Amino acid sequence: MEIGIDSFIATGAYTGPLNPQENLLAMETLLAKIEFAEQAGLHVFGLGEHHRKEFLDAAPAVILAAAAARTQKIRLTSAVTVLSAADPVRVFQEYATLDIISKGRAEIVAGRGSFIDAFPLFGYNLNDYDDLFAEKIELLLAIRDHETLSWKGRFRPALKEQSVYPRPLQDPLPLWIGVGGTPQSFVRAGTLGLPLMVAVIGGETHHFRPLIDLYYEAGKKAGHAREKLKVGLHSLGYVADTTQQARDEYFPGYQEMFGKIGKERGWSPPTRASFDAQAGPTGAYLVGSPEEVAEKILRHSEALGGISRLTFQMDNPGLTKAQVYKSIELIGTKVIPLVNGSTGR
């Protein structure tokens, strides 16, 4: 199993944008973290895409290219590319270029995003939320699979015998579908025969099994071999020497971050009791000691019928740099060997 980290470069700037020097520090901190993750033995690092003041990931391909110049092995992916509000031609060109810079380590996880800010920013109607994604994933796949193509759709000017360059080193360029909890999204990924990255940021992970089964059933009906259909899992996580320490260190920043997001979305304020339930044996959060987190990853994998990738979402304004680095080190030196030692047996 591949294990890594996804980041949204959450700056904690809920009261106002950061100044240029603060942005510089946040970006350098992120790039150094990716370098350290590679040194610790993690397999993949992903960057989200948001267009709001509390995040610094509006141009993930640019940031990943900077990370590629400072690393050698770790895979670099979007998490997710908000494809509904993007031009598939430009997305392909950016990540094909990243693939060349990184010597074949680039990936795309395409999704619709959990925030809607990109739609008005780039002139799209939110009423076309699903239609936009369906059309654009079709075009992105066509570009990936054909150097020269003709294509026509509703939301983008037609292409007529148009060639798209550059071409990536990897053939094909890895493309995943990032999903939340919408059955249609799972069916679409299976029908297209694309790997599935499931974001489980609440509830109990095993409840997603029926949706995973839909994915496999759709893939089978579309004629895709089972080995082509892969499932990855993305969840909030943090590792410390003991489970109590991990929960105590992670909760204050979690409460701050989700309290602010919750106000915007009408959620109840997070409590320690609700957090502890999510961090418990069947909850989604991977917060605990290396041994407990490894055991939980294996339980999640079994509950979902097997996963091939797991990414931690570790952005948390309450954690110090030393705490984050210690967590990354524990993931690389303890969690990964425990998980892959067990799966190997």
Side-chain angles (χ1 to χ4, degrees), residues 8-78:
F8 301 156
I9 325 180
T11 63
Y14 295 103
T15 57
L18 299 182
N19 64 45
Q21 288 303 312
E22 290 171 324
N23 281 338
L24 179 63
L25 176 60
M27 191 63 70
E28 177 55 35
T29 298
L30 180 278
L31 293 172
K33 187 190 301 182
I34 299 174
E35 284 188 272
F36 185 76
E38 178 177 80
Q39 294 164 9
L42 275 64
H43 305 115
V44 59
F45 203 106
L47 288 183
E49 178 189 338
H50 300 82
H51 302 274
R52 42 197 299 133
K53 63 186 177 184
E54 63 265 34
F55 300 104
L56 201 57
D57 58 353
V62 177
I63 302 168
L64 291 170
R70 297 167 61 153
T71 56
Q72 299 294 325
K73 298 181 295 183
I74 196 165
R75 297 196 67 77
L76 302 168
T77 180
S78 62

Side-chain angles (χ1 to χ4, degrees), residues 203 236 243 246-247 250 254 272-288 292-293 296 299-300:
L236 272 67
T243 292
R247 294 188 185 184
Y250 192 82
Y254 165 88
R272 180 60 189 254
S274 64
F275 169 77
D276 284 341
Q278 291 288 338
T282 60
Y285 300 165
L286 299 164
V287 179
E292 181 168 334
V293 168
K296 195 168 185 180
R299 286 199 301 273
H300 285 344

Side-chain angles (χ1 to χ4, degrees), residues 46-345:
L47 288 183
E49 178 189 338
H50 300 82
H51 302 274
R52 42 197 299 133
K53 63 186 177 184
E54 63 265 34
F55 300 104
L56 201 57
D57 58 353
V62 177
I63 302 168
L64 291 170
R70 297 167 61 153
T71 56
Q72 299 294 325
K73 298 181 295 183
I74 196 165
R75 297 196 67 77
L76 302 168
T77 180
S78 62
V80 301
T81 295
V82 185
L83 189 61
S84 303
D87 180 355
V89 173
R90 290 298 289 152
V91 168
F92 181 83
Q93 290 175 323
E94 289 168 355
Y95 282 86
T97 302
L98 172 63
D99 200 50
I100 294 167
I101 294 170
S102 67
K103 300 180 176 65
R105 292 184 283 135
E107 299 185 10
I108 301 171
V109 179
R112 296 179 295 185
S114 60
F115 291 94
I116 62 172
D117 306 76
F119 289 84
L121 182 63
F122 296 108
Y124 291 102
N125 190 331
L126 196 58
N127 292 329
D128 297 322
Y129 184 76
D130 191 64
D131 291 342
L132 279 162
F133 184 78
E135 178 176 297
K136 292 188 175 190
I137 193 68
E138 172 195 296
L139 176 54
L140 183 58
L141 279 169
I143 295 168
R144 185 187 74 161
D145 296 339
H146 303 281
E147 184 174 323
T148 302
L149 72 158
S150 294
W151 177 91
K152 186 176 182 180
R154 287 175 55 199
F155 301 107
R156 190 200 187 282
L159 299 171
K160 185 175 181 180
E161 289 301 307
Q162 184 68 54
S163 300
V164 180
Y165 302 109
R167 308 306 296 182
L169 288 183
Q170 298 177 91
D171 185 18
L173 181 68
L175 173 60
W176 299 61
I177 298 285
V179 300
T182 307
Q184 182 182 358
S185 298
F186 287 78
V187 171
R188 177 187 290 125
T191 301
L192 294 173
L194 293 175
L196 183 72
M197 196 68 189
V198 187
V200 181
I201 57 173
E204 297 188 341
T205 302
H206 65 90
H207 289 158
F208 280 73
R209 180 59 183 267
L211 296 172
I212 300 294
D213 290 341
L214 278 178
Y215 165 68
Y216 286 126
E217 290 167 12
K220 183 178 180 180
K221 287 181 181 178
H224 299 296
R226 177 65 178 249
E227 57 268 20
K228 186 179 178 182
L229 304 174
K230 299 190 297 183
V231 175
L233 178 64
H234 160 94
S235 293
L236 272 67
Y238 175 69
V239 182
D241 289 323
T242 69
T243 292
Q244 190 64 48
Q245 179 188 353
R247 294 188 185 184
D248 289 346
E249 290 176 353
Y250 192 82
F251 177 70
Y254 165 88
Q255 186 179 44
E256 175 188 344
M257 184 166 57
F258 278 86
K260 301 284 176 58
I261 295 173
K263 279 185 179 180
E264 181 179 321
R265 299 191 177 189
W267 300 343
S268 299
T271 65
R272 180 60 189 254
S274 64
F275 169 77
D276 284 341
Q278 291 288 338
T282 60
Y285 300 165
L286 299 164
V287 179
S289 68
E291 294 77 15
E292 181 168 334
V293 168
E295 290 172 6
K296 195 168 185 180
I297 290 171
L298 292 168
R299 286 199 301 273
H300 285 344
S301 181
E302 182 178 1
L304 297 179
I307 61 175
S308 60
R309 176 175 291 183
L310 183 287
T311 56
F312 290 80
Q313 212 304 91
M314 292 177 62
D315 292 348
N316 184 307
L319 296 174
T320 66
K321 176 181 176 180
Q323 289 170 335
V324 170
Y325 274 49
K326 177 65 173 179
S327 183
I328 293 171
E329 180 183 6
L330 289 172
I331 292 169
T333 60
K334 293 192 175 182
V335 174
I336 290 176
L338 284 169
V339 170
N340 286 335
S342 294
T343 55
R345 289 194 298 273

